[in-house]
Amino acid sequence: MSDPLLPDNAIEVRGLTKTYAGSKKAPPKTALKGIDLVVPRGSIFGLLGPNGAGKSTLINILAGVVNKTGGQAYVWGRDIDTDPRGARAALGVVAQEVTADVFFTPRESLEVQAGYYGVPPAERRSDELLAALGLADKANAYVRALSGGMKRRLMVAKALVHNPPVLILDEPTAGVDVELRRQLWAYVRELSDRGVTILLTTHYLEEAQELCDTIAIVNHGEVVACEPTAQLLRRLDTRNVVVTPEAPLTAVPEIAGFDVTPRGDSFVVAYKTGQSSVEQVLVAVRAAGVRIKDIATEDPDLEDVFVALTYGDTSQVDPTRDDAVVA
Ligand code: ADP
């Protein structure tokens, strides 16, 4: 919805580059190679990418923790170069590592954080936040007595003390159990319903699929896809059939109409769910003269997705290139 008082884009990044200076031991590293990204106000936007893709670098630049090398970045319409305080005030960031102030209770921890952001006492809402994150009965507990999940929820509460319109969650559910993951997802949706724009980074396609309306995929410092979730998922409709032949093969068989890659004593046939079926794959495998001992089917994992989107046909990836390994 267009509102003249609010920016259309919660985050906007143009030609953003970052090269970390090298050292005696390491050469300079370009982590972002001119990224363009627009996060519309009100969206739940997923930033997906393997380790080393550049996600943290992007977030840290937006949060004012890392200096960019080039390009522009705006948070809530505020230029991080000319209005860094304004940009920071519009942003809450939940970091990946769980850090807890062991000397404060959860309520004190929120009060201190609110003070840090200059929120006047009358406008603080520590108890509301504690309640919203299921920590009301722990308000005065020792932080070290909280479980890992509770600490993580406290970190979300801390990121919200100054009521930012934009919230970044960096790998919010890495290493958390299923129940807590569901709780955090529910809370993210609630925040979104209240109008908070959310940018979340994740390794998990499932998580992005569950929560996000738009997904951007980053790899090697570049945005390789940025689309509405449903549209992106339709492009990822490749499934694999892993075929183990009765007798070991001396060469990868040619299977008419399908891409085939070797894997140990087996080989993998990729097919598009919209265009063919396991049955058709098996017919083609038999027609190629292969006697089948065993088969298994596989859904694509995120690694396949990155490879497919980054390099097109996976069979063209040169496995000797170190950047072919994207896990
Ligand atoms: P991600 O968050 O997607 O895992 P990062 O932004 O952490 O990716 O890293 C992107 C690239 O930049 C990686 O190759 C990483 O090694 C490099 N990098 C990150 N931080 C630094 C740093 N402080 N100094 C040098 N290189 C860095």
Side-chain angles (χ1 to χ4, degrees):
M1 237 174 22
S2 172
D3 180 327
L5 297 176
L6 298 174
D8 287 339
N9 297 325
I11 295 174
E12 196 172 334
V13 156
R14 299 279 169 211
L16 194 68
T17 59
K18 173 66 189 178
T19 301
Y20 290 102
S23 64
K24 273 187 192 150
K25 286 185 187 155
K29 173 78 199 177
T30 298
L32 296 177
K33 300 174 183 166
I35 280 193
D36 293 322
L37 207 62
V38 167
V39 178
R41 175 165 52 86
S43 59
I44 305 185
F45 192 100
L47 194 61
L48 253 83
N51 278 332
K55 304 181 296 296
S56 306
T57 301
L58 174 60
I59 289 175
N60 288 335
I61 291 172
L62 293 172
V65 182
V66 163
N67 289 323
K68 63 187 168 58
T69 308
Q72 277 89 43
Y74 306 85
V75 181
W76 210 240
R78 298 160 188 174
D79 189 329
I80 64 163
D81 284 330
T82 58
D83 186 9
R85 284 171 136 256
R88 259 206 299 277
L91 192 64
V93 180
V94 184
Q96 218 174 95
E97 311 83 52
V98 177
T99 52
D101 323 290
V102 286
F103 301 115
F104 296 125
T105 66
R107 182 185 280 123
E108 286 166 349
S109 198
L110 296 190
E111 290 291 315
V112 168
Q113 185 80 358
Y116 172 76
Y117 275 103
V119 181
E123 289 171 28
R124 293 186 190 170
R125 43 192 202 115
S126 304
D127 288 319
E128 179 198 319
L129 284 170
L130 290 169
L133 285 143
L135 294 168
D137 60 337
K138 302 286 177 194
N140 299 315
Y142 285 115
V143 167
R144 64 170 171 269
L146 303 183
S147 68
M150 289 172 184
K151 284 183 190 145
R152 204 175 269 264
R153 279 180 275 155
L154 179 58
M155 287 181 58
V156 177
K158 277 177 72 177
L160 291 169
V161 291
H162 57 301
N163 212 7
V166 188
L167 184 68
I168 293 183
L169 295 159
D170 194 4
E171 298 278 350
T173 62
V176 309
D177 63 39
V178 176
E179 192 192 340
L180 178 60
R181 181 173 302 178
R182 300 251 158 230
Q183 271 177 29
L184 281 169
W185 286 354
Y187 192 62
V188 167
R189 287 200 190 90
E190 205 178 305
L191 286 171
S192 173
D193 289 344
R194 283 201 246 145
V196 177
T197 303
I198 301 190
L199 172 67
L200 74 89
T201 72
T202 181
H203 275 75
Y204 305 116
L205 183 59
E206 185 209 354
E207 179 158 83
Q209 191 174 336
E210 173 84 22
L211 276 179
C212 301
D213 41 57
T214 308
I215 297 178
I217 296 188
V218 192
N219 201 11
H220 299 297
E222 289 173 309
V223 176
V224 293
C226 181
E227 292 169 26
T229 304
Q231 192 178 319
L232 185 77
L233 291 173
R234 273 199 298 279
R235 286 218 277 150
L236 306 178
D237 60 352
T238 303
R239 290 240 171 98
N240 290 335
V241 182
V242 185
V243 179
T244 309
E246 279 195 344
L249 299 171
T250 47
V252 179
E254 297 258 339
I255 312 278
F258 297 98
D259 285 335
V260 184
T261 44
R263 186 190 291 172
D265 292 336
S266 309
F267 59 90
V268 180
V269 185
Y271 72 99
K272 292 266 180 195
T273 49
Q275 293 167 14
S276 34
S277 62
V278 177
E279 189 52 41
Q280 284 169 308
V281 169
L282 295 182
V283 168
V285 169
R286 287 195 195 96
V290 178
R291 293 171 65 88
I292 300 169
K293 181 174 165 200
D294 197 8
I295 63 155
T297 56
E298 288 178 341
D299 286 334
D301 63 16
L302 202 49
E303 188 167 327
D304 299 331
V305 171
F306 293 132
V307 173
L309 290 173
T310 314
Y311 301 103
D313 184 353
T314 53
S315 63
Q316 287 168 12
V317 177
D318 174 359
T320 59
R321 271 171 58 171
D322 67 341
D323 59 0
V325 179
V326 293

